[in-house]
Amino acid sequence: MKINLSFLKKINFENFDKALEKFDKGMSVFNKAVKGFGDSMDSMTKEMSSDMEKSNKKLKLEAKKNQRNIDKLWGKSKSNTKIWSDKGKSGTK
């Protein structure tokens, strides 16, 4: 069986250097793309966190407003006696 090794004649330092330069340029472009993706993910995460904080603040304000309205309708309760259990809140039945 004869193996064709003619490709070895074409490999020299000049060709090898060109290939390394192209690889280096490709890695630079890839690195910039990954950095850009990471930056956009950071930006999106910050934006979503900000939205969540705003939503949580709004929910707390609405809960206070609702409690004030309930107090206006029924009066403030002077006891802490619950008329229902908290079992449903934990998700277990």
Side-chain angles (χ1 to χ4, degrees):
M1 177 170 18
K2 186 177 180 181
I3 298 174
N4 186 1
L5 300 176
S6 63
F7 71 91
L8 290 175
K9 294 178 184 176
K10 295 179 182 179
I11 296 176
N12 58 36
F13 286 112
E14 200 173 299
N15 290 339
F16 192 68
D17 190 44
K18 287 179 185 177
L20 285 177
E21 285 178 14
K22 288 183 180 182
F23 179 77
D24 188 42
K25 286 180 184 176
M27 287 304 291
S28 290
V29 170
F30 178 75
N31 186 28
K32 287 179 185 176
V34 169
K35 185 175 180 342
F37 178 76
D39 291 346
S40 66
M41 289 294 107
D42 287 343
S43 174
M44 188 168 55
T45 301
K46 288 177 186 174
E47 186 176 327
M48 289 177 73
S49 294
S50 174
D51 289 346
M52 291 296 290
E53 287 176 16
K54 288 178 186 175
S55 178
N56 288 339
K57 285 180 184 177
K58 186 175 179 180
L59 286 173
K60 287 178 184 177
L61 289 174
E62 287 293 321
K64 286 181 182 179
K65 178 181 161 187
N66 290 339
Q67 186 61 50
R68 282 193 309 264
N69 288 336
I70 289 172
D71 290 345
K72 286 179 186 176
L73 287 172
W74 302 101
K76 283 196 172 200
S77 172
K78 294 192 172 75
S79 73
N80 289 333
T81 307
K82 293 183 179 183
I83 58 173
W84 60 84
S85 70
D86 290 334
K87 286 183 181 179
K89 289 184 179 179
S90 65
T92 59
K93 292 182 181 177

